């Protein structure tokens, strides 16, 4: 048994049964972290801290075996915008390099209370404001399947660590695809809960309307376990198979344009679903791209200034938004965020229109689609193309043309984020170059447990993605 190959569920079970200790498990993961150090997956990483936490877990099992939580001894990577009292929380930006929160974010605390070990604070696109994880302040995180390529962002460090088998799972945050996009590009599962399902306190923010933390792991069962620990929810009944399950295929916006190889492989995935008995309903979601574009960015850009100032004040920092942004190291992030307190600031009237008129229209479009076509979920490629080369920050090559990197990679994941509905990306294929592709399933608001059950059934018919080679 190679401990690094174990899922969260399997590792927790093995430690509870006494088949391995938390310390021996931690040592195997630490050795893997050393092998994959070139991925630059972590901003804060202290092996001594990991070993101390593992020894404490073993001591608890020896002295109080009846008190073990469902995540006993399981090591998790935490995106470095989640507050941790025992480690710095930098948000991936130099201005917060010395930030030491005095308490854990509620999400983190619930995981630790369930027995998890905080393995490291993971790299991210600076202030979570980007999709490449090319962080000029802390270095680029790298894709475990090809270190010359991006892991996706903004939660790229978590995805790289999970894909590289350094840890079995971790927690990222998702405002416009920042859990699902890197999960897709690194060959792992990434789940965005319904907005508000997971507590958002204690997380360096972008937008209180759009932000949510979410899990990444190597199986749907692992994501369901983490979701249950954080929310206290009960899992939905398992879906025995796909026979008769109605899945929507909204071609407009989500299925075109795609990279040529991505399009071919995703059609093969649809064929697998159909062969397994799924009923594929080809029907579009009206105006989904327009409403996403017109609502999403005014909301996020307006709330960023307000929410970052509130976070800084709550944490007793003397800095405010302007000073924090002035210290940004990544040119893309600094340029955008500086514009938000100048002529490029979002007018309150535009924000209110996006929040009160356009976003409800987008939510209604989703609700109507699920009801009218009686579909349990919609399916589409998580990203229109595989991982881009590091350095393709502004444009990326797709089908022989240069297209905008940021907007292309978030195109499919963003609408569900703005609507606040749950979505999950599953590893679905490998390109000829060995790069992973993800299949996303989105469901209706608060249908999280049902979506996880459906995703587990879909997972069973998808091809298994091999681990990266080092």
């Amino acid at each position: 048994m190679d401990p690094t190959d174990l899922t969260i569920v399997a590792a927790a079970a093995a430690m509870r049964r006494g088949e391995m200790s938390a310390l021996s498990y931690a040592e195997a993961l630490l050795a893997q972290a050393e092998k994959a150090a070139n991925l630059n997956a972590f901003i804060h990483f202290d092996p001594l801290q990991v070993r101390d936490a593992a020894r404490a877990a073993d001591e608890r099992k020896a002295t109080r075996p009846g008190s073990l939580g469902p995540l006993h001894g399981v090591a998790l990577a935490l995106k470095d915008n989640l507050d941790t009292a025992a480690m710095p929380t930098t948000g991936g930006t130099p201005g917060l390099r010395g930030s030491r929160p005095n308490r854990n974010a509620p999400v983190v605390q619930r995981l630790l209370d369930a027995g998890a070990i905080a393995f490291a604070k993971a790299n991210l696109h600076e202030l979570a404001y980007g999709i490449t994880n090319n962080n000029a302040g802390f270095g680029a995180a790298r894709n475990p399947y090809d270190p010359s390529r991006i892991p996706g962002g903004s939660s790229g460090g978590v995805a790289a660590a999970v894909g590289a088998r350094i840890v079995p799972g971790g927690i990222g945050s998702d405002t416009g695809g920042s859990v699902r996009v890197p999960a897709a590009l690194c060959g792992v599962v990434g789940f965005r809960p319904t907005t508000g399902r997971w507590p958002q306190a204690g997380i360096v923010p972008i937008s209180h309307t759009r932000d949510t933390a979410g899990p990444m792991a190597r199986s749907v069962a692992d994501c369901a376990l983490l979701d249950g620990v954080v929310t206290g929810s009960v899992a939905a009944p398992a879906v025995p198979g796909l026979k008769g399950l109605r899945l929507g295929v909204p071609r407009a916006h989500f299925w075109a344009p795609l990279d040529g190889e991505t399009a071919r492989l995703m059609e093969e995935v649809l064929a697998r679903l159909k062969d397994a008995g799924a009923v594929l309903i080809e029907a579009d979601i009206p105006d989904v791209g327009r409403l996403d574009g017109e609502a999403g960015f005014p909301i996020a850009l307006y709330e960023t200034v307000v929410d970052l100032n509130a976070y800084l004040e709550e944490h007793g920092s003397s800095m405010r938004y302007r000073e924090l942004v002035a210290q940004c190291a990544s040119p893309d992030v600094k340029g955008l965020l500086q514009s938000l307190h100048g002529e490029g600031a979002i007018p309150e009237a535009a924000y209110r229109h996006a929040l009160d008129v356009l976003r409800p229209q987008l939510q209604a479009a989703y609700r109507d689609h699920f009801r009218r076509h009686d579909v349990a979920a919609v399916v589409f490629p998580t990203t229109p193309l595989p991982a881009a080369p590091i350095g393709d920050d502004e444009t990326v090559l797709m089908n022989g043309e240069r297209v905008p990197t940021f907007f292309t990679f978030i195109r499919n994941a963003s609408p569900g984020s703005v609507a606040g509905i749950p979505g999950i990306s599953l590893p679905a294929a490998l390109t000829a170059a060995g790069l992973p592709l993800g299949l996303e399933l989105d469901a209706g608001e608060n249908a999280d447990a049902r979506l996880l059950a459906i995703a587990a059934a879909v997972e069973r018919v998808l091809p298994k993605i091999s681990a990266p080679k080092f």
Side-chain angles (χ1 to χ4, degrees):
M1 177 182 69
D2 182 350
T4 66
D5 283 335
L6 296 176
T7 64
I8 292 173
V9 171
M15 284 182 279
R16 292 178 73 88
R17 292 193 299 263
E19 295 170 2
M20 66 179 180
S21 67
L23 182 58
S24 65
Y25 181 51
E27 291 292 357
L29 299 183
L30 290 170
Q32 186 74 352
E34 186 175 352
K35 290 179 186 176
N38 68 311
L39 300 181
N40 195 33
F42 303 136
I43 288 177
H44 178 87
F45 175 48
D46 184 349
L48 294 179
Q49 209 169 20
V50 173
R51 291 186 176 101
D52 286 345
R55 290 189 185 99
D58 286 335
E59 177 67 17
R60 180 166 189 151
K61 185 176 186 300
T63 59
R64 292 184 290 159
S67 68
L68 303 185
L71 298 177
H72 168 74
V74 172
L76 299 175
L78 304 173
K79 186 176 181 179
D80 199 13
N81 63 346
L82 281 72
D83 281 352
T84 46
M87 294 179 278
T89 300
T90 71
T93 194
L96 295 178
R97 190 184 293 269
S99 173
R100 295 298 295 258
N102 57 18
R103 63 175 66 90
N104 295 318
V107 166
V108 173
Q109 191 60 55
R110 292 175 192 183
L111 296 167
L112 298 180
D113 289 346
I117 291 172
F119 190 83
K121 297 299 287 292
N123 202 341
L124 66 154
H125 203 106
E126 189 165 359
L127 285 171
Y129 242 102
I131 210 68
T132 66
N133 215 131
N134 191 7
N135 187 317
F138 294 90
R142 298 178 178 274
N143 192 300
Y145 286 83
D146 180 348
S148 72
R149 294 181 179 262
I150 65 170
S154 60
S155 310
V158 175
V162 177
R165 277 56 180 172
I166 299 171
V167 288
I171 307 298
S173 65
D174 189 311
T175 304
S178 287
V179 162
R180 292 157 293 155
V181 169
L185 300 187
C186 292
V188 302
V189 180
F191 174 54
R192 177 195 164 91
T194 294
T195 305
R197 178 180 173 87
W198 285 38
Q200 189 58 24
I203 302 176
V204 182
I206 290 179
S207 162
H208 60 267
T209 298
R210 295 181 52 177
D211 291 348
T212 180
M216 284 181 272
R218 293 197 298 274
S219 75
V220 175
D222 286 354
C223 284
L225 174 58
L226 295 174
D227 179 71
V229 166
V230 170
T231 65
S233 61
V234 177
V239 176
L242 299 185
K243 187 175 178 61
L245 183 70
R246 293 170 64 88
L247 298 174
V249 183
R251 293 285 183 179
H253 182 82
F254 296 97
W255 284 85
L258 298 176
D259 159 74
E261 188 177 16
T262 300
R264 177 179 61 79
L265 291 170
M266 286 295 119
E267 290 298 336
E268 292 178 4
V269 168
L270 288 184
R272 280 178 174 264
L273 299 180
K274 190 173 181 179
D275 288 346
V279 180
L280 302 183
I281 308 298
E282 301 223 5
D284 295 329
I285 305 171
D287 290 329
V288 66
R290 178 184 67 80
L291 291 169
D292 171 47
E294 293 181 4
F297 275 89
I299 292 171
L301 297 177
Y302 183 91
E303 291 183 351
T304 292
V305 180
V306 176
D307 292 355
L308 273 174
N309 272 328
Y311 176 88
L312 293 168
E313 183 175 2
E314 179 186 349
H315 285 68
S317 173
S318 60
M319 276 193 304
R320 289 299 178 264
Y321 180 89
R322 286 176 181 263
E323 294 84 359
L324 179 67
V325 171
Q327 297 180 58
C328 282
S330 304
D332 59 332
V333 178
K334 187 171 187 174
L336 174 61
L337 297 187
Q338 280 186 327
S339 73
L340 299 184
H341 55 70
E343 294 182 358
I346 302 297
E348 185 174 0
Y351 165 66
R352 287 295 168 192
H353 181 68
L355 185 67
D356 299 334
V357 178
L358 297 174
R359 182 173 183 259
Q361 289 178 3
L362 179 62
Q363 292 172 316
Y366 272 105
R367 283 194 297 269
D368 182 66
H369 181 82
F370 288 119
R371 177 186 56 80
R372 178 180 298 184
H373 301 289
D374 189 27
V375 294
V378 291
V379 296
F380 50 86
T382 311
T383 62
L385 71 169
I390 293 174
D392 280 6
D393 297 321
E394 294 186 6
T395 64
V396 62
L397 191 66
M398 187 171 82
N399 297 332
E401 296 183 6
R402 303 299 300 188
V403 295
T405 303
F406 181 78
F407 290 103
T408 300
F409 274 105
I410 71 163
R411 188 192 78 202
N412 286 357
S414 180
S417 306
V418 177
I421 62 176
I424 188 167
S425 178
L426 307 178
L430 284 176
T431 68
L435 298 174
L437 295 171
L439 177 75
E440 181 161 347
L441 295 91
D442 284 1
E445 187 177 10
N446 295 318
D448 300 61
R450 175 67 172 167
L451 177 62
L452 287 164
I454 292 168
V458 171
E459 180 182 50
R460 291 196 292 271
V461 306
L462 295 178
K464 300 301 180 187
I465 301 300
S466 58
K469 304 284 194 294
F470 291 102

